[in-house]
Amino acid sequence: TVHDVDETTDGALYIVMDLYDGETLKEKISRGPLQISDAIDIAVQIGQGLFEAHRAGIVHRDVKPANIFITKSGVVKILDFGLAKLGGRTLLTKAGSTIGTAAYMSPEQASGELVDNRTDIWSFGVVLYEMVTGQRPFKAEYENALIYSILNIDPCPPSDVRRDVPTSMDRVSAKCLARKPDARYQSIDEIVTDLRSARPQSVGTPSPRERRLAPAS
């Protein structure tokens, strides 16, 4: 939220925004894979935030751990809508150009094609994979090789990297990272439902915060 834009007495421009106390998801992952229950809680909150953006016709186009902030109270904030576009509009880009961070780009985004909310679903899938395994599903030293992997190589299931990942989360990951948009989840709220089902039995009940943030049915 931008609360104010103004100028100091000595002529310096400034913007007043929210100050969050916590850390980015990138910083959190840098210490190692998250507990499955924590990853699901964070992923559900990310999904609920993207659900509201998509319902308003906004595609983020740069969903990545560096743009996810987690406050000390455990509330997830999606940051940096600077690359976002309104559905049906191409004010910030055009066909044939790529915008976003390569490691989290969907195949259609990496190819410079027009994108919709399903590009965020792909990026969400990459973030989910990274939270539970501690590594990205697509890795390469150079950007061209990375884009080739995104366009042509199927990543191994998360459970191949980490044994305690439930197979239900493998299915969520695979459906988020389906190369063809029509084969992916079509709406982020479908993912939230499946993630809740993937939650380990010992923590099967949604947290009060999660229930409070849940979108109305």
Side-chain angles (χ1 to χ4, degrees):
T1 302
V2 175
H3 297 284
D4 193 17
V5 179
D6 208 337
E7 188 173 346
T8 64
T9 55
D10 58 354
L13 294 172
Y14 65 87
I15 300 175
V16 181
M17 301 175 71
D18 290 327
L19 173 64
Y20 297 135
D21 189 10
E23 63 180 348
T24 66
L25 182 56
K26 181 179 180 179
E27 293 169 322
K28 194 174 186 70
I29 293 172
S30 70
R31 297 192 293 273
L34 278 57
Q35 294 292 325
I36 299 299
S37 57
D38 290 343
I40 290 175
D41 179 48
I42 292 169
V44 165
Q45 291 190 63
I46 296 170
Q48 289 164 339
L50 289 175
F51 175 83
E52 294 299 334
H54 293 170
R55 187 162 66 170
I58 298 170
V59 182
H60 189 287
R61 298 199 297 174
D62 197 23
V63 176
K64 58 184 179 182
N67 285 340
I68 306 296
F69 195 90
I70 305 164
T71 69
K72 285 190 173 179
S73 59
V75 176
V76 172
K77 303 287 185 179
I78 303 174
L79 308 179
D80 198 357
F81 276 78
L83 298 184
K85 82 177 195 62
L86 291 172
R89 302 185 189 180
T90 54
L91 299 178
L92 299 180
T93 187
K94 61 184 178 181
S97 66
T98 58
I99 282 185
T101 305
Y104 303 90
M105 283 184 181
S106 67
E108 62 271 23
Q109 190 175 13
S111 298
E113 300 172 5
L114 294 178
V115 301
D116 56 24
N117 65 296
R118 293 171 296 183
T119 198
D120 285 348
I121 288 174
W122 169 282
S123 301
F124 175 94
V126 177
V127 171
L128 178 64
Y129 191 105
E130 191 172 356
M131 281 197 288
V132 299
T133 66
Q135 62 187 49
R136 298 179 190 133
F138 305 97
K139 301 182 292 293
E141 188 173 352
Y142 301 104
E143 184 171 308
N144 286 345
L146 179 61
I147 290 175
Y148 177 86
S149 296
I150 290 170
L151 295 176
N152 297 283
I153 299 175
D154 294 325
C156 64
S159 62
D160 283 6
V161 181
R162 178 178 171 182
R163 290 183 178 180
D164 64 335
V165 174
T167 56
S168 52
M169 188 167 285
D170 281 347
R171 291 192 292 269
V172 172
S173 176
K175 195 168 181 180
C176 286
L177 297 177
R179 197 163 290 115
K180 293 184 178 180
D182 288 346
R184 266 176 238 153
Y185 287 100
Q186 300 300 291
S187 175
I188 201 82
D189 57 332
E190 298 172 15
I191 309 175
V192 169
T193 298
D194 284 355
L195 281 173
R196 286 179 173 145
S197 299
R199 184 185 294 273
Q201 291 299 315
S202 60
V203 284
T205 303
S207 67
R209 178 177 66 253
E210 189 179 311
R211 288 195 297 269
R212 185 172 69 249
L213 293 172
S217 57

PDB file of all heavy atoms in Angstrom, residues 15 19-20 25 29-31 36 49 58 63 67 78 91 102 108 113 122 131 141 153 155 168 200 208 213-214:
ATOM      1  N   ILE A  15       8.195   8.249  -0.712  1.00  0.00           N
ATOM      2  CA  ILE A  15       6.961   7.459  -0.735  1.00  0.00           C
ATOM      3  C   ILE A  15       6.780   6.842   0.645  1.00  0.00           C
ATOM      4  O   ILE A  15       7.733   6.290   1.218  1.00  0.00           O
ATOM      5  CB  ILE A  15       7.020   6.346  -1.797  1.00  0.00           C
ATOM      6  CG1 ILE A  15       7.224   6.949  -3.189  1.00  0.00           C
ATOM      7  CG2 ILE A  15       5.759   5.484  -1.772  1.00  0.00           C
ATOM      8  CD1 ILE A  15       7.410   5.904  -4.283  1.00  0.00           C
ATOM      9  N   LEU A  19       5.571  -0.791   6.711  1.00  0.00           N
ATOM     10  CA  LEU A  19       6.811  -1.380   7.210  1.00  0.00           C
ATOM     11  C   LEU A  19       6.465  -2.730   7.828  1.00  0.00           C
ATOM     12  O   LEU A  19       5.710  -2.801   8.796  1.00  0.00           O
ATOM     13  CB  LEU A  19       7.468  -0.474   8.254  1.00  0.00           C
ATOM     14  CG  LEU A  19       8.689  -1.073   8.961  1.00  0.00           C
ATOM     15  CD1 LEU A  19       9.820  -1.311   7.957  1.00  0.00           C
ATOM     16  CD2 LEU A  19       9.157  -0.163  10.096  1.00  0.00           C
ATOM     17  N   TYR A  20       6.985  -3.820   7.253  1.00  0.00           N
ATOM     18  CA  TYR A  20       6.726  -5.161   7.756  1.00  0.00           C
ATOM     19  C   TYR A  20       7.934  -5.659   8.538  1.00  0.00           C
ATOM     20  O   TYR A  20       9.079  -5.464   8.124  1.00  0.00           O
ATOM     21  CB  TYR A  20       6.446  -6.125   6.595  1.00  0.00           C
ATOM     22  CG  TYR A  20       5.214  -5.791   5.800  1.00  0.00           C
ATOM     23  CD1 TYR A  20       5.242  -5.811   4.402  1.00  0.00           C
ATOM     24  CD2 TYR A  20       4.019  -5.445   6.416  1.00  0.00           C
ATOM     25  CE1 TYR A  20       4.114  -5.503   3.658  1.00  0.00           C
ATOM     26  CE2 TYR A  20       2.884  -5.130   5.689  1.00  0.00           C
ATOM     27  CZ  TYR A  20       2.936  -5.168   4.300  1.00  0.00           C
ATOM     28  OH  TYR A  20       1.818  -4.871   3.564  1.00  0.00           O
ATOM     29  N   LEU A  25      10.501 -14.918   2.011  1.00  0.00           N
ATOM     30  CA  LEU A  25      10.510 -16.368   1.876  1.00  0.00           C
ATOM     31  C   LEU A  25      11.870 -16.831   1.344  1.00  0.00           C
ATOM     32  O   LEU A  25      12.351 -17.915   1.700  1.00  0.00           O
ATOM     33  CB  LEU A  25       9.384 -16.815   0.946  1.00  0.00           C
ATOM     34  CG  LEU A  25       9.226 -18.316   0.722  1.00  0.00           C
ATOM     35  CD1 LEU A  25       9.052 -19.064   2.036  1.00  0.00           C
ATOM     36  CD2 LEU A  25       8.042 -18.577  -0.215  1.00  0.00           C
ATOM     37  N   ILE A  29      13.967 -19.814   3.059  1.00  0.00           N
ATOM     38  CA  ILE A  29      14.388 -21.024   2.336  1.00  0.00           C
ATOM     39  C   ILE A  29      15.902 -21.177   2.355  1.00  0.00           C
ATOM     40  O   ILE A  29      16.421 -22.297   2.320  1.00  0.00           O
ATOM     41  CB  ILE A  29      13.859 -20.990   0.884  1.00  0.00           C
ATOM     42  CG1 ILE A  29      12.324 -21.093   0.863  1.00  0.00           C
ATOM     43  CG2 ILE A  29      14.458 -22.113   0.046  1.00  0.00           C
ATOM     44  CD1 ILE A  29      11.716 -20.878  -0.518  1.00  0.00           C
ATOM     45  N   SER A  30      16.629 -20.075   2.423  1.00  0.00           N
ATOM     46  CA  SER A  30      18.100 -20.137   2.406  1.00  0.00           C
ATOM     47  C   SER A  30      18.657 -20.942   3.575  1.00  0.00           C
ATOM     48  O   SER A  30      19.788 -21.422   3.524  1.00  0.00           O
ATOM     49  CB  SER A  30      18.697 -18.721   2.411  1.00  0.00           C
ATOM     50  OG  SER A  30      18.502 -18.084   3.669  1.00  0.00           O
ATOM     51  N   ARG A  31      17.834 -21.116   4.625  1.00  0.00           N
ATOM     52  CA  ARG A  31      18.273 -21.899   5.783  1.00  0.00           C
ATOM     53  C   ARG A  31      17.932 -23.381   5.629  1.00  0.00           C
ATOM     54  O   ARG A  31      18.270 -24.179   6.498  1.00  0.00           O
ATOM     55  CB  ARG A  31      17.640 -21.332   7.059  1.00  0.00           C
ATOM     56  CG  ARG A  31      18.060 -19.899   7.366  1.00  0.00           C
ATOM     57  CD  ARG A  31      17.663 -19.494   8.768  1.00  0.00           C
ATOM     58  NE  ARG A  31      16.220 -19.421   8.941  1.00  0.00           N
ATOM     59  CZ  ARG A  31      15.490 -18.342   8.671  1.00  0.00           C
ATOM     60  NH1 ARG A  31      16.073 -17.233   8.200  1.00  0.00           N
ATOM     61  NH2 ARG A  31      14.187 -18.350   8.861  1.00  0.00           N
ATOM     62  N   ILE A  36       6.902 -29.488   6.280  1.00  0.00           N
ATOM     63  CA  ILE A  36       5.787 -29.632   5.338  1.00  0.00           C
ATOM     64  C   ILE A  36       4.586 -28.800   5.774  1.00  0.00           C
ATOM     65  O   ILE A  36       3.972 -28.096   4.959  1.00  0.00           O
ATOM     66  CB  ILE A  36       5.379 -31.116   5.187  1.00  0.00           C
ATOM     67  CG1 ILE A  36       6.554 -31.946   4.646  1.00  0.00           C
ATOM     68  CG2 ILE A  36       4.162 -31.242   4.271  1.00  0.00           C
ATOM     69  CD1 ILE A  36       7.035 -31.529   3.287  1.00  0.00           C
ATOM     70  N   GLY A  49      -3.899 -14.878  -1.447  1.00  0.00           N
ATOM     71  CA  GLY A  49      -3.583 -13.543  -1.940  1.00  0.00           C
ATOM     72  C   GLY A  49      -3.682 -13.466  -3.454  1.00  0.00           C
ATOM     73  O   GLY A  49      -4.244 -12.508  -4.009  1.00  0.00           O
ATOM     74  N   ILE A  58      -6.035  -9.225 -12.077  1.00  0.00           N
ATOM     75  CA  ILE A  58      -4.625  -8.850 -12.047  1.00  0.00           C
ATOM     76  C   ILE A  58      -3.757 -10.104 -12.051  1.00  0.00           C
ATOM     77  O   ILE A  58      -3.954 -11.006 -11.241  1.00  0.00           O
ATOM     78  CB  ILE A  58      -4.307  -8.017 -10.795  1.00  0.00           C
ATOM     79  CG1 ILE A  58      -5.114  -6.712 -10.808  1.00  0.00           C
ATOM     80  CG2 ILE A  58      -2.820  -7.725 -10.696  1.00  0.00           C
ATOM     81  CD1 ILE A  58      -5.060  -5.940  -9.509  1.00  0.00           C
ATOM     82  N   VAL A  63       5.920 -13.962  -9.417  1.00  0.00           N
ATOM     83  CA  VAL A  63       5.800 -14.657  -8.133  1.00  0.00           C
ATOM     84  C   VAL A  63       7.093 -15.438  -7.888  1.00  0.00           C
ATOM     85  O   VAL A  63       7.476 -16.293  -8.681  1.00  0.00           O
ATOM     86  CB  VAL A  63       4.585 -15.615  -8.137  1.00  0.00           C
ATOM     87  CG1 VAL A  63       4.521 -16.409  -6.841  1.00  0.00           C
ATOM     88  CG2 VAL A  63       3.290 -14.841  -8.363  1.00  0.00           C
ATOM     89  N   ASN A  67       9.716 -12.077  -3.475  1.00  0.00           N
ATOM     90  CA  ASN A  67       8.541 -11.214  -3.470  1.00  0.00           C
ATOM     91  C   ASN A  67       7.466 -11.687  -2.508  1.00  0.00           C
ATOM     92  O   ASN A  67       6.333 -11.198  -2.553  1.00  0.00           O
ATOM     93  CB  ASN A  67       7.951 -11.103  -4.880  1.00  0.00           C
ATOM     94  CG  ASN A  67       8.781 -10.201  -5.776  1.00  0.00           C
ATOM     95  OD1 ASN A  67       9.562  -9.386  -5.287  1.00  0.00           O
ATOM     96  ND2 ASN A  67       8.619 -10.337  -7.081  1.00  0.00           N
ATOM     97  N   ILE A  78       2.264 -10.609  -0.272  1.00  0.00           N
ATOM     98  CA  ILE A  78       2.794 -10.700  -1.637  1.00  0.00           C
ATOM     99  C   ILE A  78       3.228  -9.305  -2.057  1.00  0.00           C
ATOM    100  O   ILE A  78       2.415  -8.379  -2.091  1.00  0.00           O
ATOM    101  CB  ILE A  78       1.746 -11.261  -2.611  1.00  0.00           C
ATOM    102  CG1 ILE A  78       1.263 -12.628  -2.144  1.00  0.00           C
ATOM    103  CG2 ILE A  78       2.320 -11.361  -4.026  1.00  0.00           C
ATOM    104  CD1 ILE A  78       0.122 -13.188  -2.969  1.00  0.00           C
ATOM    105  N   LEU A  91      -0.140  -3.342 -21.188  1.00  0.00           N
ATOM    106  CA  LEU A  91       0.467  -2.028 -21.059  1.00  0.00           C
ATOM    107  C   LEU A  91       1.957  -2.098 -20.756  1.00  0.00           C
ATOM    108  O   LEU A  91       2.700  -1.188 -21.114  1.00  0.00           O
ATOM    109  CB  LEU A  91      -0.237  -1.246 -19.934  1.00  0.00           C
ATOM    110  CG  LEU A  91      -1.734  -0.986 -20.146  1.00  0.00           C
ATOM    111  CD1 LEU A  91      -2.310  -0.253 -18.944  1.00  0.00           C
ATOM    112  CD2 LEU A  91      -1.972  -0.165 -21.412  1.00  0.00           C
ATOM    113  N   ALA A 102      13.633 -15.463 -14.580  1.00  0.00           N
ATOM    114  CA  ALA A 102      13.654 -16.641 -15.443  1.00  0.00           C
ATOM    115  C   ALA A 102      13.349 -17.940 -14.714  1.00  0.00           C
ATOM    116  O   ALA A 102      12.597 -18.778 -15.216  1.00  0.00           O
ATOM    117  CB  ALA A 102      15.015 -16.733 -16.146  1.00  0.00           C
ATOM    118  N   GLU A 108       4.992 -20.327 -21.262  1.00  0.00           N
ATOM    119  CA  GLU A 108       4.442 -19.311 -22.165  1.00  0.00           C
ATOM    120  C   GLU A 108       5.058 -17.940 -21.893  1.00  0.00           C
ATOM    121  O   GLU A 108       5.262 -17.141 -22.807  1.00  0.00           O
ATOM    122  CB  GLU A 108       2.904 -19.253 -22.069  1.00  0.00           C
ATOM    123  CG  GLU A 108       2.324 -18.879 -20.718  1.00  0.00           C
ATOM    124  CD  GLU A 108       2.092 -20.068 -19.792  1.00  0.00           C
ATOM    125  OE1 GLU A 108       2.745 -21.122 -19.981  1.00  0.00           O
ATOM    126  OE2 GLU A 108       1.288 -19.924 -18.864  1.00  0.00           O
ATOM    127  N   GLU A 113       4.975 -15.230 -24.924  1.00  0.00           N
ATOM    128  CA  GLU A 113       3.578 -15.274 -25.349  1.00  0.00           C
ATOM    129  C   GLU A 113       2.710 -14.488 -24.366  1.00  0.00           C
ATOM    130  O   GLU A 113       3.137 -14.154 -23.258  1.00  0.00           O
ATOM    131  CB  GLU A 113       3.105 -16.726 -25.428  1.00  0.00           C
ATOM    132  CG  GLU A 113       3.895 -17.580 -26.411  1.00  0.00           C
ATOM    133  CD  GLU A 113       3.539 -19.052 -26.320  1.00  0.00           C
ATOM    134  OE1 GLU A 113       2.602 -19.389 -25.561  1.00  0.00           O
ATOM    135  OE2 GLU A 113       4.225 -19.865 -26.978  1.00  0.00           O
ATOM    136  N   TRP A 122       1.846 -21.484 -12.404  1.00  0.00           N
ATOM    137  CA  TRP A 122       3.135 -22.145 -12.653  1.00  0.00           C
ATOM    138  C   TRP A 122       4.193 -21.632 -11.666  1.00  0.00           C
ATOM    139  O   TRP A 122       4.877 -22.425 -11.014  1.00  0.00           O
ATOM    140  CB  TRP A 122       3.590 -21.882 -14.089  1.00  0.00           C
ATOM    141  CG  TRP A 122       5.003 -22.299 -14.362  1.00  0.00           C
ATOM    142  CD1 TRP A 122       6.143 -21.623 -14.008  1.00  0.00           C
ATOM    143  CD2 TRP A 122       5.448 -23.494 -15.015  1.00  0.00           C
ATOM    144  NE1 TRP A 122       7.259 -22.309 -14.417  1.00  0.00           N
ATOM    145  CE2 TRP A 122       6.862 -23.464 -15.038  1.00  0.00           C
ATOM    146  CE3 TRP A 122       4.784 -24.573 -15.615  1.00  0.00           C
ATOM    147  CZ2 TRP A 122       7.621 -24.470 -15.613  1.00  0.00           C
ATOM    148  CZ3 TRP A 122       5.544 -25.576 -16.192  1.00  0.00           C
ATOM    149  CH2 TRP A 122       6.938 -25.528 -16.198  1.00  0.00           C
ATOM    150  N   MET A 131      10.069 -24.531  -1.579  1.00  0.00           N
ATOM    151  CA  MET A 131       9.841 -24.529  -0.133  1.00  0.00           C
ATOM    152  C   MET A 131      10.037 -25.908   0.480  1.00  0.00           C
ATOM    153  O   MET A 131      10.613 -26.036   1.560  1.00  0.00           O
ATOM    154  CB  MET A 131       8.421 -24.027   0.184  1.00  0.00           C
ATOM    155  CG  MET A 131       8.253 -22.537   0.140  1.00  0.00           C
ATOM    156  SD  MET A 131       6.748 -21.989   0.985  1.00  0.00           S
ATOM    157  CE  MET A 131       5.481 -22.544  -0.148  1.00  0.00           C
ATOM    158  N   GLU A 141      23.117 -23.007 -15.299  1.00  0.00           N
ATOM    159  CA  GLU A 141      24.074 -21.927 -15.041  1.00  0.00           C
ATOM    160  C   GLU A 141      23.760 -20.685 -15.863  1.00  0.00           C
ATOM    161  O   GLU A 141      24.012 -19.561 -15.423  1.00  0.00           O
ATOM    162  CB  GLU A 141      25.494 -22.418 -15.351  1.00  0.00           C
ATOM    163  CG  GLU A 141      26.584 -21.443 -14.938  1.00  0.00           C
ATOM    164  CD  GLU A 141      27.975 -22.026 -15.108  1.00  0.00           C
ATOM    165  OE1 GLU A 141      28.091 -23.246 -15.400  1.00  0.00           O
ATOM    166  OE2 GLU A 141      28.948 -21.259 -14.964  1.00  0.00           O
ATOM    167  N   ILE A 153      12.013 -30.004 -20.213  1.00  0.00           N
ATOM    168  CA  ILE A 153      12.367 -31.046 -19.244  1.00  0.00           C
ATOM    169  C   ILE A 153      11.366 -31.087 -18.098  1.00  0.00           C
ATOM    170  O   ILE A 153      11.059 -30.044 -17.496  1.00  0.00           O
ATOM    171  CB  ILE A 153      13.791 -30.824 -18.707  1.00  0.00           C
ATOM    172  CG1 ILE A 153      14.798 -30.898 -19.858  1.00  0.00           C
ATOM    173  CG2 ILE A 153      14.135 -31.847 -17.620  1.00  0.00           C
ATOM    174  CD1 ILE A 153      16.221 -30.576 -19.465  1.00  0.00           C
ATOM    175  N   PRO A 155      10.502 -31.822 -14.328  1.00  0.00           N
ATOM    176  CA  PRO A 155      11.266 -31.949 -13.081  1.00  0.00           C
ATOM    177  C   PRO A 155      10.897 -33.238 -12.346  1.00  0.00           C
ATOM    178  O   PRO A 155       9.795 -33.768 -12.522  1.00  0.00           O
ATOM    179  CB  PRO A 155      10.846 -30.715 -12.281  1.00  0.00           C
ATOM    180  CG  PRO A 155       9.465 -30.407 -12.782  1.00  0.00           C
ATOM    181  CD  PRO A 155       9.469 -30.771 -14.248  1.00  0.00           C
ATOM    182  N   SER A 168       0.500 -36.741  -2.259  1.00  0.00           N
ATOM    183  CA  SER A 168      -0.529 -35.775  -2.649  1.00  0.00           C
ATOM    184  C   SER A 168       0.095 -34.436  -3.034  1.00  0.00           C
ATOM    185  O   SER A 168      -0.393 -33.745  -3.933  1.00  0.00           O
ATOM    186  CB  SER A 168      -1.540 -35.583  -1.510  1.00  0.00           C
ATOM    187  OG  SER A 168      -0.867 -35.279  -0.306  1.00  0.00           O
ATOM    188  N   PRO A 200      -0.217 -32.968   6.461  1.00  0.00           N
ATOM    189  CA  PRO A 200      -0.016 -34.162   7.290  1.00  0.00           C
ATOM    190  C   PRO A 200      -1.127 -34.309   8.328  1.00  0.00           C
ATOM    191  O   PRO A 200      -1.633 -33.313   8.856  1.00  0.00           O
ATOM    192  CB  PRO A 200       1.339 -33.909   7.963  1.00  0.00           C
ATOM    193  CG  PRO A 200       2.051 -33.000   7.020  1.00  0.00           C
ATOM    194  CD  PRO A 200       0.980 -32.122   6.421  1.00  0.00           C
ATOM    195  N   PRO A 208      -6.175 -21.038  12.982  1.00  0.00           N
ATOM    196  CA  PRO A 208      -7.119 -19.921  13.049  1.00  0.00           C
ATOM    197  C   PRO A 208      -6.797 -18.838  12.029  1.00  0.00           C
ATOM    198  O   PRO A 208      -7.684 -18.251  11.440  1.00  0.00           O
ATOM    199  CB  PRO A 208      -6.948 -19.415  14.501  1.00  0.00           C
ATOM    200  CG  PRO A 208      -6.470 -20.614  15.261  1.00  0.00           C
ATOM    201  CD  PRO A 208      -5.594 -21.368  14.282  1.00  0.00           C
ATOM    202  N   LEU A 213      -8.214 -16.110   6.876  1.00  0.00           N
ATOM    203  CA  LEU A 213      -7.828 -15.608   5.558  1.00  0.00           C
ATOM    204  C   LEU A 213      -8.527 -16.310   4.413  1.00  0.00           C
ATOM    205  O   LEU A 213      -8.381 -15.929   3.272  1.00  0.00           O
ATOM    206  CB  LEU A 213      -6.311 -15.741   5.384  1.00  0.00           C
ATOM    207  CG  LEU A 213      -5.454 -14.857   6.300  1.00  0.00           C
ATOM    208  CD1 LEU A 213      -3.992 -15.236   6.159  1.00  0.00           C
ATOM    209  CD2 LEU A 213      -5.665 -13.399   6.011  1.00  0.00           C
ATOM    210  N   ALA A 214      -9.281 -17.379   4.731  1.00  0.00           N
ATOM    211  CA  ALA A 214      -9.891 -18.177   3.669  1.00  0.00           C
ATOM    212  C   ALA A 214     -10.878 -17.358   2.857  1.00  0.00           C
ATOM    213  O   ALA A 214     -11.681 -16.608   3.418  1.00  0.00           O
ATOM    214  CB  ALA A 214     -10.596 -19.399   4.258  1.00  0.00           C
TER     215      ALA A 214
END
